[in-house]
Amino acid sequence: MMPNFIDKIGDWNPQLLRELKGRLKFFNVAIAVATSLLLQLVVFLYQLREFPDDKYSLTGTYCRLRQVYERQQNEVYQLSDQSRIANLNDFFSNNFCPANQIDLQLWWQDHWRYTFLTFSVIFIFTLLVAGTYLLINDLAKEETRGTLNFIRLSPQSETSILTGKLLGVPSLIYLVISLAVPFHLWAAFSAQIAFSSILSYYAILAASCIFFYNAALLFALVSRGLSGFQPWLGSGAVLFFLFTTMVMSSSSGNNLNNSTTWLRLFAPWDVTTYLFPQLFNLYNGSLMGNVQFFYLPLGANIVSVVGFHLLNWGLCSYGILQAIKRCFRNPQASIISKGQSYLIVAFCQVMMWGFTFQFLRNNSRLDGQVGENLIFIALYNLVLLFGLIAVLSPHRQDIQDWARYRHQEVGGRKSVWQDLIWAEKSPALVAIAINLTIVTVPFLVWLSLTSIFDPGRSPNLEGDNFDRLKVLLTVALSISLMLIYATITQLILLLKTPKRSFWAVGTISAVTFLPPMILEFIGISSWKYPTIWLFSTFPWAAIEHTSATTIFMALLAQLSVLTLLNFQLTRQVRLAGESATKALLAGR
């Protein structure tokens, strides 16, 4: 029977069979079984150490006489009579709760609840951190040995190969967890935890594993230059993210009424605390219950909370899978296409602005909500756009192929603009401009909807004076600045020098972060010299202290620089597209 089952696995997914044969050795399986059983025993005995004995305190949680003695204790402490307090303490030291007054049923229920919650946390850390490490380490070893190229040449589809990796590489981790699941379920049923919450937890755990494992595979494929450091960096980042979000979820002071909520949704802690508030002693309930998305109450019930988490992980996992498919067969291909970048940017805007629009108890005004989240949205989009510039900008050879042979391709009657919007080997400037437009549209819609610019009252945003024209000019200023960065990046990647990517990253980092750092260091603050700050990466810092005319002049200056850079870029692309014979005859 077992050989037939193995043959069926091989017929369904040869890659999975290869991974299982390499890992499910007798010694490895024995170690995994022993580890799982030992872990269950340790957790059970650790919780059992607090079992009420014959010296259980009269004021202990599970003593039925606790309320009587606590009332007497409070009365004595209110009188502040030191002699009576001393006598009472001596009484508690020499007398203990009778065995027949200890509520053992309640103790066992709490004991099983703590056991269940302990395993819930262990499952998350073990599956996500250890599984991520194993997947990245496996692909790194395959790349080092050269076997990954053989896998790429196999007739299997990318989906089949990746599924085999996801199911086979962490198989020993799955074995450890699977052996602990029956004990986990027994603890849940003994603690009288609702079956819907248990089922929801396992669904959340599975969805988070799929997301993190797909992200791990993508990271392993695009970070080949890190060599043996890959698995430690990837799993360390996951561990740091999980630990940070766990601390945030356990603190009642961290609310979820802002755009950063979307980032926390990628960790399973907030939804786990929603299902089991006792996990972090949140007796007032999880903050997830108050979350809204475009004013829709996500936290109203378990279906909406769990469903939204699953939808978020599902969409992001699907997007990562498409990127993996692009990079798997052709390691030199860009992670995403230009068309996919438009969808990604639009999706990010929907998620960030969706969690921005939530009712707040002390501030339900539209302008106040967006004003509090504006810095987060700006930082998200800044990182997103810089990432897209790095990913979408093609290198010299790609642009050379596009410029020379675009007219020979099938459907070569397409206009240059269509190629600039959709073609992967064309310069990325138009695609970056479209993504900037997508980023700007929600902001402009907010400006048109909010009453912040009502002429009947002085315009303000969180107490700061803002003029509508100044804000719009500053938005245009930011767009032109990002286009300048994109053009500089493309020009550097067109050079013939080695390590062009390194020089592009270094140059953009320098022009982005060095000017504001130098200005602050030499004492040129935005409120003293706002005109200079208009030409930095953060023109928003100077908008309050300068006039609309000055901002307009700065915009004209940046547009002039952008025009000159694009003339140079067009010239370089045209030269790159010339044939070798034509360039030789021209003396170039």
Side-chain angles (χ1 to χ4, degrees), residues 440-452:
T440 308
V441 166
F443 186 76
L444 296 179
V445 171
W446 165 64
L447 291 181
S448 63
L449 292 179
T450 182
S451 58
I452 180 176

Side-chain angles (χ1 to χ4, degrees), residues 415-562:
S415 67
V416 176
W417 284 105
Q418 285 180 301
D419 268 7
L420 291 174
I421 295 173
W422 302 108
E424 295 186 19
K425 294 185 178 182
S426 62
L429 192 63
V430 174
I432 298 299
I434 293 174
N435 284 312
L436 281 167
T437 303
I438 297 173
V439 168
T440 308
V441 166
F443 186 76
L444 296 179
V445 171
W446 165 64
L447 291 181
S448 63
L449 292 179
T450 182
S451 58
I452 180 176
F453 302 118
D454 187 355
R457 59 189 180 97
S458 60
N460 64 84
L461 178 61
E462 296 298 295
D464 297 330
N465 291 327
F466 275 72
D467 181 83
R468 182 177 188 177
L469 180 60
K470 289 167 63 175
V471 173
L472 294 176
L473 288 173
T474 308
V475 171
L477 203 64
S478 301
I479 293 175
S480 65
L481 190 62
M482 292 302 299
L483 290 175
I484 289 174
Y485 290 158
T487 309
I488 293 174
T489 301
Q490 193 63 81
L491 284 170
I492 295 175
L493 293 178
L494 273 171
L495 298 176
K496 297 181 180 180
T497 58
K499 297 183 179 180
R500 294 183 293 270
S501 298
F502 173 80
W503 286 109
V505 172
T507 302
I508 297 302
S509 300
V511 299
T512 301
F513 299 108
L514 283 182
M517 292 173 61
I518 293 174
L519 291 176
E520 284 291 342
F521 181 76
I522 62 179
I524 301 180
S525 302
S526 59
W527 59 275
K528 289 183 180 179
Y529 306 95
T531 305
I532 299 178
W533 276 83
L534 290 176
F535 295 94
S536 70
T537 318
F538 308 103
W540 290 89
I543 182 176
E544 181 185 358
H545 312 287
T546 188
S547 63
T549 304
T550 305
I551 300 175
F552 182 71
M553 296 302 294
L555 176 60
L556 289 180
Q558 287 195 0
L559 291 177
S560 301
V561 173
L562 179 62

Side-chain angles (χ1 to χ4, degrees), residues 368-389:
Q369 290 175 343
V370 177
E372 292 177 355
N373 289 274
L374 203 56
I375 183 65
F376 299 122
I377 296 175
L379 288 175
Y380 291 161
N381 287 321
L382 189 65
V383 174
L384 177 63
L385 291 169
F386 274 128
L388 290 176
I389 291 174

Side-chain angles (χ1 to χ4, degrees), residues 36-239:
S36 181
L37 296 177
L38 181 61
L39 176 64
Q40 297 174 53
L41 180 62
V42 169
V43 172
F44 179 78
L45 293 178
Y46 180 79
Q47 297 293 345
L48 200 62
R49 79 192 192 283
E50 296 182 356
F51 186 81
D53 54 11
D54 55 353
K55 292 186 178 181
Y56 191 71
S57 173
L58 285 166
T59 57
T61 304
Y62 304 103
C63 182
R64 295 189 179 95
L65 304 176
R66 176 172 59 93
Q67 295 181 352
V68 176
Y69 287 103
E70 281 185 346
R71 186 165 56 250
Q72 293 181 4
Q73 189 179 39
N74 292 333
E75 292 175 356
V76 170
Y77 278 114
Q78 288 177 358
L79 296 175
S80 301
D81 190 337
Q82 297 300 321
S83 61
R84 295 185 62 181
I85 293 176
N87 292 334
L88 185 62
N89 290 335
D90 290 339
F91 176 79
F92 286 145
S93 301
N94 299 321
N95 294 273
F96 304 99
C97 186
N100 60 351
Q101 294 299 322
I102 298 177
D103 193 346
L104 290 179
Q105 182 179 359
L106 179 60
W107 185 90
W108 277 107
Q109 184 176 337
D110 287 348
H111 164 78
W112 289 118
R113 180 183 296 112
Y114 297 144
T115 302
F116 172 82
L117 297 177
T118 301
F119 274 107
S120 298
V121 175
I122 291 175
F123 285 178
I124 292 174
F125 274 106
T126 303
L127 284 169
L128 299 187
V129 179
T132 298
Y133 176 87
L134 290 176
L135 283 166
I136 299 175
N137 187 56
D138 176 77
L139 277 187
K141 287 183 176 180
E142 297 264 26
E143 185 74 34
T144 303
R145 293 194 299 258
T147 54
L148 189 59
N149 289 328
F150 288 103
I151 297 176
R152 289 189 175 109
L153 296 174
S154 68
Q156 299 180 68
S157 65
E158 293 90 345
T159 304
S160 176
I161 295 173
L162 296 174
T163 302
K165 287 288 184 184
L166 291 178
L167 296 178
V169 174
S171 55
L172 291 174
I173 300 295
Y174 297 153
L175 179 60
V176 172
I177 299 301
S178 299
L179 291 174
V181 166
F183 187 58
H184 189 238
L185 290 173
W186 177 268
F189 293 139
S190 300
Q192 299 181 3
I193 296 175
F195 181 73
S196 59
S197 298
I198 301 171
L199 193 62
S200 299
Y201 168 78
Y202 284 119
I204 289 295
L205 189 61
S208 62
C209 284
I210 294 173
F211 170 76
F212 279 95
Y213 288 177
N214 276 297
L217 290 176
L218 180 60
F219 174 76
L221 289 174
V222 301
S223 60
R224 296 182 300 275
L226 297 176
S227 187
F229 189 60
Q230 284 176 285
W232 295 105
L233 180 61
S235 59
V238 172
L239 177 61

